[in-house]
Amino acid sequence: MTLIKSISGIRGTIGGAPGEGLSPLDIVKFTYAYCEKMKERRPKNHDERYKVVVGKDARLSGDMVEQLVCGTLIACGVDVVKAGFASTPTTEMAVVFEEADGGIILTASHNPKQWNALKLLNEKGEFLNAAEGAEILACAEAEDFCFADVDALGVIEEKDFTDAHLDAVLALPAVDVDAVKKAGFKVVVDAVNSVGGIIVPRLLERMGVECIMVNCEPTGQFAHNPEPLPDNLVELRSAVVENKADLGISVDPDVDRLALICEDGNAFGEEYTLVSVADYLLSRIYDQALNTGKSIDDLASPYKMCTSSNLSSSRALRDVTEQYGGEYFAAAVGEVNVTTKMRECDALIGGEGNGGVIYPALHYGRDAMVGIALFLTNLAYKNMKVSELRATYPQYVIAKNKIELSDSALIDRILTEVRNVFASEDINTIDGVKISFESRKEWVHLRRSNTEPIIRIYAESSSQEAADALAGRIIEIIEGILKQG
């Protein structure tokens, strides 16, 4: 059994003793602490009510966790809006739609079915920052509970926000529904038997796209490893080829990550989901400036011609951004870190290399729905096969490795010594150590995991062999350090 308490929420396997797995007691404690800190953050008059939106993916433990969370919220005197089966971005936007004080998403994202988690949102429908998360952890550990009396209990209402979310996506100026309809696309969707099976086909239907569904029943019985990586998408890749489809779409259980499959059954590459969408948005503004004589700054307003992703994401985003005269900004790993950086630089688009697209014109959160809509619009305009579109982007490959290390002091030592070995290179230390070899357009990033007792080692180069070799060089250095004791 596993229970991971972090600043981003509480995540664990279902069952076991309190503190060992994600038990009912842990769920109640953490939900109570969230309420207490929400009330401190947003003080109200005695007669004003607090409201929290609760949404869930389709995993098997969802009903149980939902009942515990909602019961605790109303026991704290907080009104609840149950969004039911809802994607993570849908729940985020529902907080704004409802003018709520916060939101709780019940999902363990790409983790297997035995996992669940509570992801915590503020009144903007965005994840709490590190300091806010730390305060909730401390409050939960203190176990100093005091619940509302019977006359002050919260109430529960149920609402479906799926169509409201899609309405907002399709109303974006950069989404051209008519162009997509005229293109007559055929798409295969693998939603890994979770909430993507509800919302993705509905989006495609509204965009006039023929949709062939694979694993779209929201049973929570994941048909394969739910992380949308090529090795886990064998069925989808085959279905694309067999049905002569234009595209394959895969989302993770809570629909904040988007992976694409080319018409030939090959992976588009999860790193390139964000790259392709960014290329479309940047080129759109660039071309408008050329055709109208207006300034790029005016056309991009209130944003700027810049992008952001985390340090472990592909260099391809930086290359594409600079191609249009824009500027790229790197952020520490973690969605809240990326959104913070995006706000600082007024980024037009950003996200993470795991297929996470963040488009601030809609909201500051990873959203596969807006990723799909923008990608299909771009594909319709380009009038080319998906594999041909992929070939227009810079070619990079990332090797992803990890080493299990639970000793925090040892991880710090490794990061320091590796940094010293490559002191003459371009080094970024905002999140672990990232070493960029600019002459070869290669990089390697070492960082401690936020959710596991491991050190991650990501390396990128122009080929798999070169990326593996770079990662192998770093691993050899680490193994040498470990042998020293």
Side-chain angles (χ1 to χ4, degrees), residues 29 60 78 98 133 157 198 203 210 236 245 259 263 269 293 311 478:
K29 288 167 54 178
L60 299 175
V78 174
E98 287 292 304
E157 63 177 322
I198 299 171
L203 171 69
E210 180 181 350
L236 174 61
E263 81 289 342
L311 286 172
I478 294 174

Side-chain angles (χ1 to χ4, degrees), residues 182-183 185 376-386 388-389:
K182 290 177 182 177
F185 293 127
L376 289 174
T377 299
N378 187 32
L379 192 64
Y381 287 165
K382 292 287 179 62
N383 191 28
M384 60 174 61
K385 294 180 179 179
V386 176
E388 294 171 341
L389 178 62

Side-chain angles (χ1 to χ4, degrees), residues 424-482:
S424 61
E425 304 293 345
D426 181 7
I427 294 178
N428 187 315
T429 59
I430 64 172
D431 185 6
V433 175
K434 181 172 183 177
I435 307 153
S436 297
F437 305 89
E438 288 300 314
S439 61
R440 304 195 302 270
K441 290 191 173 183
E442 294 180 328
W443 58 260
V444 61
H445 185 204
L446 291 79
R447 58 177 291 273
R448 69 177 74 235
S449 170
N450 292 331
T451 58
E452 300 175 75
I454 61 174
I455 184 168
R456 298 191 186 278
I457 306 158
Y458 287 8
E460 181 176 70
S461 189
S462 58
S463 69
Q464 189 67 59
E465 294 76 15
D468 288 339
L470 178 56
R473 182 183 176 191
I474 301 300
I475 291 172
E476 285 182 4
I477 293 173
I478 294 174
E479 290 175 343
I481 296 171
L482 295 176

Side-chain angles (χ1 to χ4, degrees), residues 268-280:
F268 191 79
E270 63 172 353
E271 290 287 336
Y272 284 82
T273 300
L274 173 59
V275 173
S276 63
V277 172
D279 174 61
Y280 162 57

Side-chain angles (χ1 to χ4, degrees), residues 306-327:
C306 62
T307 64
S308 180
S309 63
N310 67 46
L311 286 172
S312 286
S313 298
S314 176
R315 181 192 172 102
L317 180 62
R318 170 180 164 182
D319 289 356
V320 166
T321 303
E322 293 177 348
Q323 174 185 334
Y324 297 105
E327 188 173 2

